[in-house]
Amino acid sequence: MSEAYDAELSDVLKRNPDAAFCSRYFSKVKICFMVHGTNEDFSELKKHVAALPDSKSYSITRSIPVSAGMVHFESLPTVISHYKMASLLNIDIWLPFKKFEPRSNAIKQFQKDMSPNWFYEAVMGCAADNKPIDYCWAGLVCLIGAMLAKKVKVTVDEGEKGLAPNLWANFVGEPGSGKTPVIDMLTRLAEPFTVDPKSSSDMASRSMIDSAISATKVSEVKKIIKNATENDKSINIDRVIKQVSRKFKVEETKIAEYIGKLVITTDTTAAGLNDLLEIDELSVMLLADELKTLLQVLSSKDNAKLRGQLLQAESSNSLMMVARANQASKTSHNATISVLAGIQPDALAPFLNAAMNGDSSNDGFLNRFLLTVKNVTEFTDSYTASEKFDKKAIKKFIRAVYRESFDFIDRIDGQYGLVGFSEEAKKLFKKWKTYNTEQIKNAPNSYLANQFSKYVGLVPRLSLIYQVMNKFSSSKKKIEEFQCIDLAALSFAIKSVEYLRSHAISIFSADENILHVESTAVLKRLIDTGYDKFTVSELSQRDWRFIKRDTDKALKVLQYLESFGLVRANTVGRRIEWEVNPLVQFCFN
């Protein structure tokens, strides 16, 4: 929307604070507004502008051509609704109002089409004894991803770094919502496949290997490398270590003992994580039953090192220097960590607000909890019977994952198998990325925009987990071979991410949800009292909840109602007078 003026630029800006930018065309100044709306909104506004006496002074266009030197940017764009644009143009006719409901999409429940059928039934079976379904799904996916993290990675296009499927899950719910029982269930499921690297026997084995390697003559290592290069073979450092260790009669099984094993820890000290992350073969899962406590620990400047360790290990493909007592630091190429946590909404709020308000310590830590869910899915009459589901299926699957080496996948990324997308999957993923980009642009706040941007990495990781699930043979108790991520696995991942997106919007758009509740209360009072024309100051003098003696809140509520076409602002002399849409009583019907 644009309007031409014969005036100085500064004067124009004062009269039009919502102007997105102004451009000077010879002796005239043209101001432009950025208006958000649908195609129907666009057509409606254009129709009413055409009926104005001075309609030729205005133009409505979907794009503005910019010539070099012709445009002068004065301020950041302010996107306004087409209702507000109509008010600025003094259009007397009320535009059709929109249905008054929160802009956020309804939070989605866990659905059968989000995963292979057997896994859906396993989730429902785990939840059948009064455990929250949403927590069970997120927790199981997190656990399975942790067990796969040291075995296989995924990449979309050839040449890209592989992504390990280690994920961070966060159960958001009030006290007594069932967070702890699910975490306890998951630790019991994982117990047969966990290891304690700090036990005396395990530490003794590693000490033997370290001693053997350190005592090996340089000539012995050179001999191994020479033999490898003469045969045109790539040098695998793990292989070198194994051969050197064999020379000193250290069993190879001692080194391989950790591969595929999982360690579950509650240790939130930098030194404690150091000891675990230095073991390249070991998958680490951190339990934070009370995430609030962990966030408080990480907020201290004294724990910057711990925070950095967690962030690096979450990415799963960065180099990490791991300090070791009385020894040289070790470079870990594939340190990974999964996190399983729970928190109450009220406890999450201050940390979330700090992140949204650009706190200097905000480094995207909370955005790493991509499996953040609320307890919303309910059992229905069609599946209340727990005996309908095979509770043992998930145990069989986890054991199969533990035993599988994934040797049928090419070892391109060191000790890991690296699997890519099929051509059909690549096409679908590209199409979804375009959709996700639009969701990022339209995100209610910057925090959600950051969250949505991380979904581009989440979809491939979930696709890998679902691909392994699809290839699980319950009768054979093994994972069947596969060479790429197929369309079915990717489809499950995309549906799961859209489910997670709805939960993220519900959890992290709390400010807008609260504003909707407050605006609803004020709107009902306006309808009940017939109070239809007033200034912001006059409205705030009303003895009404939420806005009493708070002009800033009153203005915020009115602007929110205006975005639905329920009120509008009119310039009457030197004051701004708000008017209620005469059809407002029908907005709740």
Side-chain angles (χ1 to χ4, degrees):
M1 188 73 204
S2 61
E3 182 178 358
Y5 288 94
D6 287 305
E8 287 297 323
L9 190 59
S10 59
D11 293 335
V12 175
L13 284 172
K14 287 179 182 178
R15 295 201 305 271
N16 298 274
D18 293 305
F21 60 82
C22 303
S23 56
R24 190 185 300 273
Y25 290 86
F26 303 105
S27 62
K28 290 188 175 182
V29 172
K30 176 176 281 192
I31 68 168
C32 303
F33 295 86
M34 295 183 68
V35 180
H36 174 74
T38 64
N39 290 335
E40 290 76 13
D41 297 336
F42 181 86
S43 300
E44 187 74 24
L45 183 60
K46 195 170 184 177
K47 177 179 68 176
H48 290 292
V49 169
L52 293 173
D54 55 346
S55 59
K56 292 184 179 180
S57 298
Y58 308 99
S59 63
I60 299 180
T61 178
R62 295 182 185 275
S63 61
I64 301 173
V66 177
S67 301
M70 298 294 288
V71 176
H72 182 65
F73 290 88
E74 284 287 333
S75 60
L76 293 174
T78 301
V79 181
I80 62 176
S81 69
H82 71 297
Y83 295 114
K84 185 164 188 176
M85 191 71 247
S87 297
L88 292 173
L89 294 173
N90 294 317
I91 294 176
D92 294 331
I93 300 174
W94 284 92
L95 275 59
F97 62 80
K98 295 184 181 296
K99 186 176 181 181
F100 189 54
E101 60 185 9
R103 294 191 190 92
S104 302
N105 296 328
I107 189 167
K108 295 182 178 180
Q109 297 192 19
F110 175 67
Q111 299 292 333
K112 193 171 186 177
D113 63 354
M114 283 170 47
S115 62
N117 186 62
W118 77 262
F119 183 64
Y120 168 80
E121 294 191 353
V123 171
M124 302 307 291
C126 290
D129 51 350
N130 296 319
K131 292 185 180 68
I133 297 171
D134 304 277
Y135 298 166
C136 287
W137 173 81
L140 286 170
V141 169
C142 181
L143 173 60
I144 293 164
M147 297 197 67
L148 288 169
K150 288 293 185 175
K151 294 191 172 191
V152 62
K153 289 186 176 184
V154 62
T155 183
V156 178
D157 295 310
E158 188 174 346
E160 290 184 349
K161 282 188 175 182
L163 295 171
N166 59 300
L167 297 168
W168 292 14
N170 184 19
F171 306 153
V172 179
E174 301 294 342
S177 60
K179 300 185 291 294
T180 300
V182 174
I183 291 176
D184 290 343
M185 174 198 71
L186 294 168
T187 54
R188 289 196 300 272
L189 273 174
E191 188 175 3
F193 316 105
T194 58
V195 65
D196 180 7
K198 295 183 180 180
S199 69
S200 57
S201 60
D202 288 340
M203 291 300 289
S205 298
R206 294 194 63 80
S207 178
M208 288 173 63
I209 295 170
D210 289 341
S211 298
I213 294 172
S214 62
T216 301
K217 294 180 181 179
V218 175
S219 58
E220 294 295 332
V221 177
K222 286 183 177 179
K223 181 179 179 181
I224 295 171
I225 295 175
K226 182 180 178 182
N227 290 338
T229 53
E230 285 179 351
N231 296 321
D232 293 327
K233 295 179 180 179
S234 60
I235 301 170
N236 186 318
I237 190 62
D238 293 326
R239 184 63 181 165
V240 173
I241 292 173
K242 288 180 181 180
Q243 290 195 39
V244 171
S245 300
R246 189 185 301 117
K247 174 180 174 62
F248 284 83
K249 299 181 180 180
V250 177
E251 296 179 18
E252 280 191 54
T253 54
K254 294 296 183 181
I255 295 179
E257 187 173 5
Y258 294 106
I259 296 179
K261 284 278 191 177
L262 179 68
V263 61
I264 297 179
T265 181
T266 57
D267 192 339
T268 55
T269 65
L273 282 182
N274 244 345
D275 293 340
L276 300 177
L277 295 175
E278 77 160 307
I279 306 175
D280 285 335
E281 303 88 357
L282 192 64
S283 288
V284 181
M285 174 176 276
L286 175 65
L287 291 187
D289 195 2
E290 291 295 336
L291 179 58
K292 177 182 176 180
T293 303
L294 175 61
L295 294 176
Q296 288 173 333
V297 168
L298 295 175
S299 297
S300 169
K301 292 182 179 180
D302 295 335
N303 289 307
K305 183 178 179 181
L306 172 62
R307 192 180 187 100
Q309 284 177 326
L310 290 170
L311 289 171
Q312 282 187 286
E314 186 274 340
S315 67
S316 79
N317 56 19
S318 61
L319 295 177
M320 180 184 293
M321 294 301 296
V322 181
R324 299 189 294 174
N326 303 319
Q327 297 183 54
S329 296
K330 175 183 177 182
T331 301
S332 178
H333 293 267
N334 294 292
T336 64
I337 192 164
S338 304
V339 181
L340 193 59
I343 195 169
Q344 298 173 26
D346 291 345
L348 177 63
F351 300 100
L352 184 60
N353 290 336
M356 288 182 174
N357 294 329
D359 185 278
S360 59
S361 64
N362 177 32
D363 48 13
F365 187 85
L366 281 173
N367 283 123
R368 308 302 175 103
F369 288 91
L370 296 175
L371 303 182
T372 296
V373 294
K374 294 171 70 174
N375 174 24
V376 297
T377 306
E378 298 179 358
F379 277 104
T380 64
D381 293 339
S382 61
Y383 51 80
T384 50
S386 60
E387 59 268 17
K388 180 179 179 180
F389 306 107
D390 182 6
K391 292 184 180 182
K392 295 181 180 179
I394 193 64
K395 294 181 180 179
K396 295 177 183 177
F397 175 71
I398 291 175
R399 183 173 294 278
V401 169
Y402 168 69
R403 290 175 173 173
E404 182 58 61
S405 63
F406 294 92
D407 286 337
F408 51 81
I409 298 175
D410 293 337
R411 301 273 157 174
I412 299 175
D413 192 17
Q415 72 186 62
Y416 297 82
L418 187 62
V419 60
F421 276 33
S422 69
E423 290 304 316
E424 294 82 3
K426 286 181 181 179
K427 292 177 182 178
L428 177 59
F429 184 61
K430 183 178 180 180
K431 183 177 179 181
W432 174 84
K433 280 175 65 177
T434 301
Y435 167 79
N436 190 59
T437 299
E438 290 301 312
Q439 298 303 305
I440 294 172
K441 291 179 181 177
N442 297 324
N445 54 59
S446 60
Y447 182 90
L448 278 171
N450 292 335
Q451 190 85 350
F452 295 170
S453 67
K454 292 188 179 297
Y455 287 170
V456 176
L458 176 60
V459 166
R461 294 158 101 173
L462 284 175
S463 297
L464 174 58
I465 293 172
Y466 284 132
Q467 182 69 34
V468 175
M469 288 183 185
N470 276 337
K471 292 299 180 178
F472 171 57
S473 170
S474 181
S475 59
K476 297 180 181 179
K477 299 180 181 179
K478 64 173 293 185
I479 310 297
E480 302 285 357
E481 294 187 10
F482 62 90
Q483 290 298 324
C484 63
I485 303 297
D486 60 29
L487 205 57
L490 176 58
S491 297
F492 286 140
I494 288 175
K495 289 175 182 178
S496 296
V497 164
E498 295 312 313
Y499 157 85
L500 289 168
R501 193 193 305 275
S502 74
H503 282 249
I505 291 174
S506 174
I507 295 167
F508 304 128
S509 292
D511 288 346
E512 183 168 317
N513 291 335
I514 291 172
L515 181 59
H516 186 84
V517 172
E518 295 171 343
S519 300
T520 300
V522 172
L523 184 60
K524 287 182 178 179
R525 296 299 294 269
L526 289 172
I527 294 172
D528 294 341
T529 61
Y531 195 42
D532 60 350
K533 290 184 179 181
F534 44 83
T535 65
V536 173
S537 177
E538 289 169 348
L539 181 63
S540 66
Q541 297 307 310
R542 291 270 170 161
D543 190 22
W544 293 355
R545 188 184 177 193
F546 302 127
I547 61 171
K548 183 179 179 181
R549 291 187 292 277
D550 190 341
T551 54
D552 290 339
K553 175 57 72 65
L555 177 59
K556 199 170 184 178
V557 165
L558 289 173
Q559 289 174 336
Y560 183 75
L561 294 174
E562 181 187 41
S563 67
F564 290 90
L566 301 174
V567 299
R568 68 183 178 192
N570 301 317
T571 302
V572 182
R574 299 183 62 181
R575 76 180 203 155
I576 304 296
E577 187 177 84
W578 288 83
E579 181 181 6
V580 179
N581 190 325
L583 299 178
V584 71
Q585 65 267 26
F586 300 112
C587 73
F588 294 112
N589 296 335

